[in-house]
């Protein structure tokens, strides 16, 4: 259900534009997601990625959105599947736009969504257990082609486990820091090079630059999983029970950090600046810097805490219709810790014209999919 709620209000302008263009019925969308049963996470497979990359490259070369040869490329990559689905979206504008395009499945159909919801069938494993996935997003900015700015291909499979190096049960997750305090993984927040090692079994994993990892689990049971790396302060342990299906195990880390959140309660002259202080038991001071540039020039009140907590400080005396940058600053024993930069715009003065909205060409295409294939 949460996926349907999130898709209806991502905050992404391109997604909102497509929803409006196709006339997506958001109540129907959320009702449909409410009815989808839980499925375990899929694991990324390098062979399915290689096949997806080859297909995206083909789509760029032929300036096309189709499935010609997509399944053949999975076979050529050496992945043996029992069931398969494939998605493509040659007019993706961002990662969120591509995911939403597939999972909302916007297009020409009842409720502004494609008949059968074929893309969603793959992502949500509705008509099969698609335990392995390969996704490729290729940048394409050649003005002489119609596809782009990103060309996305997805391969979704259930593995034939009678073949060597084919599995359907995994421990899968992401190690990351919530740098902007929005309780959501964003690009740049993943932590690479972290070893993930269960206390038994033959497999372990090392996180990619994105923070993601996956490892096969050959036997059901309880596992103590160690996360090891300097970026997380040494070693952290989690105990999990793996049953007949894959299990998601994320690790969200904290440190002596100042995480700048978003601004709220914005008027023409005031705003509330929000963030997260990870004090880890130290007695620390914190405040916000703010101003019209990243040189800031103003500071808020200075407050203190010894807790890991979200913080908020109100500022006033702002100029109407002005873009402000701000960041959270923590004064700890280790020194001054500067948070990430964020920005907001104060409301325009009463009677002034509203800002011109960005132009939009609508949905930008709805993508296409290969229906279920079984062996």
């Amino acid at each position: 259900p949460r996926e349907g709620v999130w898709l209806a209000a991502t905050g992404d302008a391109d997604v909102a534009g497509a929803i409006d263009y196709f006339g997506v019925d958001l109540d129907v969308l959320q009702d449909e997601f409410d009815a989808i049963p839980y499925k375990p996470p899929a694991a990324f497979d390098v062979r399915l990625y290689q096949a997806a990359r080859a297909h995206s490259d083909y789509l760029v070369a032929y300036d096309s959105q189709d499935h010609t040869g997509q399944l053949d490329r999975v076979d050529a990559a050496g992945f043996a599947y029992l069931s398969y689905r494939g998605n493509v979206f040659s007019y993706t504008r961002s990662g969120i736009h591509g995911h939403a395009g597939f999972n909302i499945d916007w297009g020409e159909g009842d409720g502004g969504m494609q008949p059968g919801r074929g893309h969603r069938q793959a992502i949500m494993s509705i008509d099969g257990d698609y335990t392995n996935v390969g996704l490729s997003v290729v940048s394409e900015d050649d003005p002489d082609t119609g596809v782009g700015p990103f060309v996305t291909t997805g391969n979704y499979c259930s593995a034939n486990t009678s073949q060597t190096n084919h599995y359907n049960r995994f421990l899968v997750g992401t190690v990351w820091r919530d740098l902007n305090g929005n309780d959501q993984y964003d690009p740049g927040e993943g932590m690479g090079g972290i070893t993930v090692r269960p206390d038994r079994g033959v497999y372990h994993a090392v996180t990619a630059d994105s923070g993601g990892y996956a490892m096969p689990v050959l036997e059901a049971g309880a596992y103590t999983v160690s996360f090891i790396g300097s970026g997380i302060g040494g070693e952290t342990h989690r105990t999990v029970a793996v049953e007949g299906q894959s299990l998601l195990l994320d690790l969200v880390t904290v440190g002596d950090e100042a995480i700048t959140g978003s601004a709220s309660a914005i008027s023409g002259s005031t705003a509330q600046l929000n963030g997260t202080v990870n004090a880890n038991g130290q007695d620390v001071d914190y405040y916000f810097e703010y101003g019209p540039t990243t040189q800031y020039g103003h500071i808020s009140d200075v407050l203190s805490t010894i807790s890991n907590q979200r913080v908020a400080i109100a500022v006033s005396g702002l100029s109407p219709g002005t873009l402000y940058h701000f960041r959270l600053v923590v004064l700890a024993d280790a020194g001054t810790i500067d948070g990430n930069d964020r920005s907001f715009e104060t409301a325009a003065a009463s009677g002034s014209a509203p800002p011109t909205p960005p132009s939009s060409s609508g949905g930008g295409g709805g993508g296409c999919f290969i229906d279920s294939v079984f062996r």
Side-chain angles (χ1 to χ4, degrees), residues 18-26 111-113:
I19 288 172
D20 289 342
Y21 180 84
F22 287 105
V24 175
D25 188 323
L26 298 180
M113 293 171 281

Side-chain angles (χ1 to χ4, degrees), residues 25-33 110-111 113 117 120:
D25 188 323
L26 298 180
D27 290 332
V28 171
L29 171 73
Q30 293 181 66
D31 287 344
E32 290 179 352
F33 272 92
D110 291 343
M113 293 171 281
R117 317 292 195 257
R120 190 188 303 165

Side-chain angles (χ1 to χ4, degrees), residues 244-290:
Q245 299 176 315
S246 296
L247 182 71
L248 179 67
L249 179 60
D250 290 338
L251 181 68
V252 184
T253 67
V254 298
D256 295 328
E257 292 179 304
I259 303 171
T260 310
S262 58
S264 61
I266 302 167
S267 71
S269 60
T270 62
Q272 178 174 291
L273 308 183
N274 304 295
T276 301
V277 174
N278 293 321
N280 292 329
Q282 297 184 55
D283 186 4
V284 301
D285 294 331
Y286 64 91
Y287 59 88
F288 287 92
E289 294 182 315
Y290 62 98

Side-chain angles (χ1 to χ4, degrees), residues 9-375:
T10 64
D12 181 88
D14 290 324
V15 173
I19 288 172
D20 289 342
Y21 180 84
F22 287 105
V24 175
D25 188 323
L26 298 180
D27 290 332
V28 171
L29 171 73
Q30 293 181 66
D31 287 344
E32 290 179 352
F33 272 92
D34 286 347
I36 297 174
Y38 167 82
K39 287 292 183 75
F44 283 98
D45 184 275
V46 66
R47 295 160 296 189
L48 294 179
Y49 162 74
Q50 290 167 346
R53 176 58 192 258
H55 191 73
S56 287
D57 288 342
Y58 152 78
L59 295 175
V60 171
Y62 284 87
D63 197 13
S64 177
Q65 176 172 275
D66 62 61
H67 296 282
T68 304
Q70 184 174 354
L71 197 52
D72 294 336
R73 294 181 177 94
V74 172
D75 290 331
F79 192 91
Y81 60 88
L82 295 178
S83 59
Y84 169 85
R85 271 190 177 270
N87 290 346
V88 300
F89 192 1
S90 293
Y91 310 96
T92 306
R93 297 177 181 174
S94 68
I96 289 178
H97 180 252
H99 174 76
F102 286 150
N103 226 11
I104 293 175
D105 229 343
W106 56 56
E108 304 300 330
D110 291 343
M113 293 171 281
Q114 295 192 33
R117 317 292 195 257
H119 302 94
R120 190 188 303 165
Q121 296 274 346
I123 291 180
M124 303 302 293
S125 282
I126 294 173
D127 67 343
D129 291 321
Y130 303 118
T131 54
N132 292 258
V133 63
L135 293 170
S136 170
V137 182
V138 174
S139 176
E140 170 57 17
D141 57 5
D142 186 340
D144 294 328
T145 64
V147 298
F150 300 99
V151 177
T152 304
T153 298
N155 293 317
Y156 310 84
C157 293
S158 174
N160 182 351
T161 57
S162 69
Q163 303 297 309
T164 302
N165 197 25
H166 285 70
Y167 307 97
N168 284 320
R169 180 173 55 194
F170 301 89
L171 193 63
V172 57
T174 307
V175 180
W176 59 288
R177 289 178 184 266
D178 190 7
L179 294 175
N180 58 10
N182 68 349
D183 295 323
Q184 175 179 298
Y185 176 94
D186 295 300
E189 293 184 336
M191 301 182 67
I194 304 299
T195 298
V196 186
R197 189 183 303 276
D199 60 346
R200 58 191 177 89
V202 297
Y203 292 103
H204 73 279
V206 177
T207 60
D209 289 344
S210 63
Y213 74 91
M215 73 184 85
V217 178
L218 304 185
E219 296 182 2
Y223 290 83
T224 298
V225 182
S226 299
F227 295 84
I228 307 166
S230 59
I232 58 174
E235 188 166 335
T236 299
H237 306 279
R238 297 288 186 271
T239 300
V240 296
V242 182
E243 299 180 350
Q245 299 176 315
S246 296
L247 182 71
L248 179 67
L249 179 60
D250 290 338
L251 181 68
V252 184
T253 67
V254 298
D256 295 328
E257 292 179 304
I259 303 171
T260 310
S262 58
S264 61
I266 302 167
S267 71
S269 60
T270 62
Q272 178 174 291
L273 308 183
N274 304 295
T276 301
V277 174
N278 293 321
N280 292 329
Q282 297 184 55
D283 186 4
V284 301
D285 294 331
Y286 64 91
Y287 59 88
F288 287 92
E289 294 182 315
Y290 62 98
T293 71
T294 53
Q295 299 300 310
Y296 307 108
H298 302 277
I299 67 169
S300 70
D301 295 336
V302 179
L303 302 177
S304 299
T305 184
I306 60 171
S307 303
N308 293 355
Q309 65 180 51
R310 295 191 178 189
V311 297
I313 298 179
V315 294
S316 60
L318 308 179
S319 299
T322 301
L323 179 70
Y324 281 89
H325 291 263
F326 69 104
R327 68 181 179 187
L328 178 62
V329 179
V330 171
L331 304 178
D333 291 343
T336 301
I337 303 164
D338 296 327
N340 50 302
D341 176 79
R342 300 197 71 170
S343 62
F344 65 93
E345 187 170 352
T346 51
S350 177
S352 62
T356 303
S359 62
S360 173
S361 59
C368 58
F369 60 87
I370 296 178
D371 211 343
S372 300
V373 177
F374 298 94
R375 281 182 172 172

